[in-house]
Amino acid sequence: MIPPDPRLAAAPGGVLPTPPDRTPPKPKPNVLGIVGLVLGLAAIAAAFVPDYGFVAWPLAGVGLVLGIVGTVQATRGKAGGRGIAVTAVIVTVIAALLSATMILFPSVFGTSSAGDLHIPPAPGDEHNVDFVVTSAGGATVRYGTLNDQRTEAAPASTDQWHGHGSFSGGTPILSLTADTANASVANQISCTILVDGTTVADNSGSTIALCTANVG
């Protein structure tokens, strides 16, 4: 015969109380890490979009901050998903590096922007650009776009100096600067930018001439 459980005699109504649930609470999802990872992936995709790759920078920046905060929260036990948060940090850093590479060296991936200016002109481009400088006393010429310029010397002559380029689509910002090669000599300088034979910018001065045009 099995003796009665003494705890039943002590318990009210002869029923044992239900023991407390000692299961540890489930950690909260790492929302910041998830959002950071999504922004990092979006930044990688944006880096490959012609003429809009700059959008990847703010996406990667915000995603990186969220990933770091999510990692700190997971380390302190305030949220789970530490692996997701760390992945978000890694992906956003890769996105930022990729975006910088695409902007500075687009040819690395063979995806140059449709608005890139090609010097010398590239066969098959839709538009031709002619940079023209006149300087009787000679000048130092810088021509191209605001972030990609060539430097040449225009000899002292009444004849025109020409630099040539081409582009297809996009809206490149063309730039042409000519400044006197000898500041002690009076020199009248003029600059002109033509796209497909049409003047889009012109200027003149005694020591420097600057022409810029946003075309497309």
Side-chain angles (χ1 to χ4, degrees):
M1 181 176 181
I2 300 176
D5 191 333
R7 292 178 300 172
L8 291 175
V15 179
L16 289 175
T18 303
D21 186 5
R22 303 183 185 277
T23 304
K26 186 177 181 181
K28 298 179 181 179
N30 200 315
V31 177
L32 296 181
I34 295 173
V35 175
L37 179 58
V38 171
L39 291 178
L41 295 174
I44 291 178
F48 288 93
V49 179
D51 299 323
Y52 294 96
F54 63 90
V55 176
W57 284 97
L59 292 175
V62 175
L64 178 60
V65 172
L66 295 179
I68 292 174
V69 175
T71 302
V72 172
Q73 287 185 343
T75 302
R76 295 178 177 177
K78 295 181 178 180
R82 186 175 186 276
I84 293 178
V86 172
T87 302
V89 173
I90 296 173
V91 170
T92 51
V93 170
I94 293 175
L97 295 175
L98 179 62
S99 177
T101 303
M102 292 292 294
I103 293 175
L104 299 176
F105 309 102
S107 59
V108 171
F109 295 91
T111 56
S112 60
S113 170
D116 283 348
L117 179 70
H118 300 122
I119 301 175
D125 276 355
E126 297 178 6
H127 306 286
N128 294 313
V129 182
D130 189 9
F131 300 92
V132 184
V133 172
T134 301
S135 175
T140 300
V141 179
R142 289 176 291 275
Y143 67 104
T145 61
L146 291 180
N147 60 352
D148 184 14
Q149 296 188 346
R150 308 292 191 277
T151 301
E152 294 187 17
S157 174
T158 55
D159 295 333
Q160 293 180 336
W161 172 94
H162 290 266
H164 299 282
S166 65
F167 68 96
S168 290
T171 55
I173 301 177
L174 306 178
S175 175
L176 171 60
T177 304
D179 56 77
T180 184
N182 189 346
S184 62
V185 177
N187 188 14
Q188 187 67 21
I189 304 174
S190 65
C191 68
T192 305
I193 300 177
L194 300 95
V195 176
D196 298 331
T198 301
T199 299
V200 295
D202 58 14
N203 195 8
S204 61
S206 58
T207 58
I208 187 171
L210 172 63
C211 294
T212 59
N214 191 343
V215 298

